[in-house]
Amino acid sequence: MNTYIVSTMSDSGKTAIVSALLRILSTRGFHVTPFKAQNMSLNSYPSIEGGEIALAQAMQAYVAGLMPSIYYNPILIKPMLSDKAEYIILGKPRAQLSFNDYLNNNLIRRLAVNAVKASIRKLTMEYDMVIGEGAGSAYEPNLASRDLANFRPAEWLNANVFVVLDIDRGGSFIQGLGLMRSLPPRWRRLVKGFIINKFRGDEKLLNTAIKWLEERTGKPVLGVLPYIDDLWLWPEDSMDLKPIGNGPLDIALIAYPYISNFNDVYPLILEDDVTVRIVRSPKELGEPHLVILPGSKNVVASLEWMRRVGLDKALMRIKGSTVILGICGGFQAMSKVLSDPHGLEAGVPGNYDGLGLVNVNTVYGVKKIVSLSKAVGLRDELEGVEVKGYEIHRGIPQYIGDEPLVMIKERNGRPVQQVDGVFREKDLVIGITLHDSLGDPNFRSFVLNIAREIAGLPKRNSQGLTSIDLLMSHIDKFSSIVKERLDIDFMINDR
């Protein structure tokens, strides 16, 4: 029986619970697949078809033993400006619209609906079970008639629906009752029960409230999951941005607006000598051993913010004494000039000043490169060494004085020859387009050992563990808890 997990709010733990269910059921021998009809996230990932999907559904694919596919997340919405987003349907960028235009553009809406239905048909034919995930609040009166994220795709899947209630933020039992009383009868019948998530304390204290909710809704509570503070799964949005570690190597992550794919820093959890701080001002920056400029969906807007708060000048002050690493959009931000003739990055066509940390310009084309990629190092300790990662970008580096750091040799299994990255040894500035490059032990050792030398710490080689290894260790830990505390057989049986 297909299963759909929804909630009354964002960041309630839906993604983690779906991931655990996928892991548990796949280890039981079921051929299961993730599915999220519509996701809004700046964190994305290449699919096996070469399209773009939400990072969370790529993660869920891996934990289910699958490669990411466009059919696991047929609609991805990537916010660009306060009133506009990029709409990616079945892996391809289709439009840049306001949300109101998206709701009322008949052509795009028809394309979106057809993509969701086609994905459901394909997945239900090819898999034993689909484990779906809703988005945000499961029922909003102003959006219900055009819902493409929650109960409508669950209905098309003929799925059992379970509602996650985030007890950590309070009001969960009232929210569960309110949702059930708000739903139209045909959707109310799909709901088979509740899951209490993020509880701290003695579960016996909930007995009265659980009985109260079950009596008023006629739906059982299937279990209570504890609050887990150190669960590092791939993030859906910036609400998941949090510090890492408590080691002597001081690392500052610049958290500018439109930050994307900041899971690039998660593999640093594997290094016990690091501390990663979240920085949003020059005062918070201080003098770290390493600064990371992460990806950004709107590099120009992120640059404007850095100038407004003074982080551009703060970075220039520590250049040469602190390693500065730019990844994808962060690498582009370090350019001298960013040329956006079509306005697809900034929203308005034009040439924009970068930080000028490298002798490279960035030119944004119409075509978006979306690929699982392999590169080989061209210099220093990386010479001849393979570096794996993934690419999601329109910006192409144009070299005007600096030498490339790597050569991208393969995209989605096809050979290419594309120079990339930079290493200005004198200024301690490193740039690379490959997301998840820090998840590659070779590149992680290269960057961290330069920073360790500055910090007076001994160099070391990473243990060969990748970002996927880290993911699997954490999902296995969470899955063991879910297996003990949820009635999974009830969830997957026909009702």
Side-chain angles (χ1 to χ4, degrees), residues 166-413:
D166 181 353
I167 199 168
D168 188 54
R169 286 186 278 178
S172 55
F173 292 99
I174 291 295
Q175 290 167 17
L177 178 61
L179 173 65
M180 292 302 294
R181 290 188 173 176
S182 301
L183 290 173
R186 79 176 198 274
W187 287 354
R188 193 181 306 140
R189 285 191 292 270
L190 295 178
V191 178
K192 306 302 180 185
F194 298 96
I195 299 168
I196 308 296
N197 195 28
K198 301 183 185 179
F199 179 66
R200 312 179 198 229
D202 183 355
E203 288 182 27
K204 294 177 183 177
L205 296 173
L206 298 181
N207 288 345
T208 302
I210 288 173
K211 183 180 178 182
W212 178 90
L213 181 64
E214 290 178 335
E215 288 176 348
R216 283 160 176 76
T217 63
K219 310 293 180 180
V221 172
L222 273 70
V224 178
L225 299 176
Y227 185 94
I228 301 175
D229 194 37
D230 60 345
L231 184 64
W232 292 90
L233 304 184
W234 292 359
E236 198 148 46
D237 54 44
S238 57
M239 294 177 74
D240 297 306
L241 195 58
K242 53 187 178 182
I244 294 171
N246 191 31
L249 191 66
D250 184 20
I251 301 174
L253 177 70
I254 306 299
Y256 31 60
Y258 303 103
I259 184 173
S260 67
N261 293 76
F262 54 84
N263 60 294
D264 281 338
V265 304
Y266 280 17
L268 298 178
I269 297 166
L270 296 166
E271 308 292 335
D272 60 13
D273 62 344
V274 310
T275 293
V276 180
R277 299 182 287 113
I278 311 303
V279 168
R280 295 185 175 90
S281 71
K283 183 177 180 181
E284 291 175 329
L285 179 63
E287 296 186 6
H289 305 121
L290 170 63
V291 173
I292 298 177
L293 299 175
S296 171
K297 175 57 183 166
N298 191 324
V299 178
V300 172
S302 296
L303 279 166
E304 290 174 351
W305 174 84
M306 281 195 282
R307 292 191 174 102
R308 189 164 61 251
V309 302
L311 273 169
D312 60 330
K313 294 183 176 64
L315 289 174
M316 294 304 293
R317 281 195 297 270
I318 62 175
K319 184 183 74 171
S321 61
T322 293
V323 180
I324 302 175
L325 169 65
I327 302 174
C328 195
F331 176 31
Q332 296 167 13
M334 297 195 302
S335 303
K336 286 190 174 296
V337 176
L338 297 89
S339 178
D340 187 11
H342 307 285
L344 293 173
E345 175 71 22
V348 178
N351 293 322
Y352 302 90
D353 291 333
L355 296 172
L357 291 169
V358 294
N359 292 317
V360 175
N361 291 334
T362 296
V363 178
Y364 294 101
V366 173
K367 182 182 177 182
K368 181 183 282 192
I369 296 170
V370 181
S371 75
L372 298 167
S373 303
K374 295 179 182 178
V376 62
L378 298 177
R379 51 176 300 190
D380 297 285
E381 288 84 352
L382 281 182
E383 186 173 357
V385 174
E386 185 178 78
V387 177
K388 295 180 181 179
Y390 63 93
E391 299 176 78
I392 301 177
H393 61 98
R394 287 190 173 95
I396 302 296
Q398 306 289 323
Y399 292 85
I400 55 172
D402 284 334
E403 297 295 323
L405 177 62
V406 300
M407 174 75 75
I408 298 173
K409 305 283 285 186
E410 184 180 302
R411 286 177 174 152
N412 292 328

Side-chain angles (χ1 to χ4, degrees), residues 27-243:
T27 56
R28 285 189 186 180
F30 291 101
H31 192 37
V32 290
T33 176
F35 179 68
K36 186 162 186 171
Q38 178 175 286
N39 200 341
M40 179 180 286
S41 177
L42 288 176
N43 298 330
S44 60
Y45 197 90
S47 71
I48 194 170
E49 300 90 354
E52 188 176 359
I53 65 172
L55 184 73
Q57 276 61 68
M59 171 190 71
Q60 290 168 345
Y62 282 125
V63 303
L66 307 170
M67 290 297 292
S69 170
I70 55 175
Y71 301 105
Y72 305 157
N73 174 217
I75 305 170
L76 173 61
I77 304 172
K78 301 184 78 173
M80 294 178 58
L81 301 167
S82 58
D83 63 343
K84 186 182 285 189
E86 181 177 44
Y87 290 84
I88 296 167
I89 300 176
L90 285 178
K92 296 181 179 179
R94 298 291 185 176
Q96 293 184 359
L97 301 168
S98 69
F99 189 63
N100 187 59
D101 288 340
Y102 168 64
L103 292 177
N104 293 290
N105 185 308
N106 290 332
L107 178 62
I108 293 295
R109 289 292 294 176
R110 188 161 56 248
L111 192 64
V113 169
N114 290 340
V116 173
K117 288 185 173 180
S119 298
I120 287 173
R121 284 195 299 271
K122 181 177 177 63
L123 297 180
T124 52
M125 286 176 59
E126 295 182 359
Y127 292 89
D128 299 332
M129 273 183 282
V130 177
I131 310 297
E133 176 185 346
S137 171
Y139 185 80
E140 296 290 346
N142 56 318
L143 299 175
S145 64
R146 301 177 188 183
D147 168 52
L148 274 182
N150 291 291
F151 278 96
R152 189 160 282 112
E155 186 175 39
W156 293 336
L157 267 169
N158 190 29
N160 289 333
V161 175
F162 298 91
V163 181
V164 176
L165 301 176
D166 181 353
I167 199 168
D168 188 54
R169 286 186 278 178
S172 55
F173 292 99
I174 291 295
Q175 290 167 17
L177 178 61
L179 173 65
M180 292 302 294
R181 290 188 173 176
S182 301
L183 290 173
R186 79 176 198 274
W187 287 354
R188 193 181 306 140
R189 285 191 292 270
L190 295 178
V191 178
K192 306 302 180 185
F194 298 96
I195 299 168
I196 308 296
N197 195 28
K198 301 183 185 179
F199 179 66
R200 312 179 198 229
D202 183 355
E203 288 182 27
K204 294 177 183 177
L205 296 173
L206 298 181
N207 288 345
T208 302
I210 288 173
K211 183 180 178 182
W212 178 90
L213 181 64
E214 290 178 335
E215 288 176 348
R216 283 160 176 76
T217 63
K219 310 293 180 180
V221 172
L222 273 70
V224 178
L225 299 176
Y227 185 94
I228 301 175
D229 194 37
D230 60 345
L231 184 64
W232 292 90
L233 304 184
W234 292 359
E236 198 148 46
D237 54 44
S238 57
M239 294 177 74
D240 297 306
L241 195 58
K242 53 187 178 182

